[in-house]
Amino acid sequence: MGRQNDRGRLLGGLIGVELVKKLAGWKSSTGDDFVYPLIVGMVLGRIGCFLTGLEDHTYGVATTWITGVDFGDGVMRHPAQLYEIFVLLLLGGLLFPLYRKSRDAAAVSAGYVPGRMFQWFMGGYLLFRFVIEFIKPTPHPYLGLNNIQLACIAGLIYYAWLLLRRGAGGSRLPAGAEAAG
């Protein structure tokens, strides 16, 4: 299917999970448990995209950068798949302190908000996706943006709101509020 539809699947899956949790009355966050499996799955997918070459249209535009890769058509292109792998691994490393907190009962009782790691993952990933789309050979019909970037903006607004409404440091929500993620 190629990576072009991954953003919709990731955001659509998130919406589906949140709706089912709401219908089932599940109030606690489950997102932290999925960050590293998502990273591993996405890295493996990007390896497949890179090895596929031009077929799945996940490469970047022509470049003279040292990172340029010839996917078989004689044109050096940005290997957007490799950039994504790098960013996913970087996010995984940067989020490790939050992973440790999410597993520490004392940290949770001291104020760590379950789901915080997932929120930072999604915010970081959506920001990366927004930026990388500028070097993709796709139409950008919406004021210089494409549909993936518009979805990223919507997701970034949502996660910024979540992070800001209870503090980026992880302060608890007021009584009765629930965590998303």
Side-chain angles (χ1 to χ4, degrees), residues 43-66:
V43 164
L44 292 173
R46 297 307 73 85
I47 291 170
C49 290
F50 180 76
L51 295 175
T52 299
L54 295 172
E55 289 276 323
D56 70 357
H57 306 282
T58 59
Y59 50 83
V61 295
T63 185
T64 57
W65 285 18
I66 192 169

Side-chain angles (χ1 to χ4, degrees), residues 68-146:
V69 172
D70 179 353
F71 287 102
D73 64 349
V75 177
M76 300 301 278
R77 301 176 187 277
H78 283 286
Q81 313 93 325
L82 299 182
Y83 298 161
E84 187 166 343
I85 290 169
F86 174 78
V87 168
L88 286 165
L89 294 175
L90 181 64
L91 272 173
L94 290 173
L95 292 172
F96 192 72
L98 289 179
Y99 172 77
R100 291 180 54 130
K101 279 186 179 181
S102 74
R103 300 295 178 254
D104 182 2
V108 172
S109 64
Y112 174 78
V113 176
R116 179 60 45 143
M117 184 172 102
F118 182 78
Q119 293 165 4
W120 279 110
F121 166 73
M122 288 297 292
Y125 183 71
L126 291 171
L127 180 61
F128 164 76
R129 287 301 309 160
F130 178 81
V131 171
I132 195 99
E133 285 300 313
F134 286 112
I135 64 162
K136 302 292 296 277
T138 57
H140 291 79
Y142 311 107
L143 299 174
L145 303 175
N146 65 22

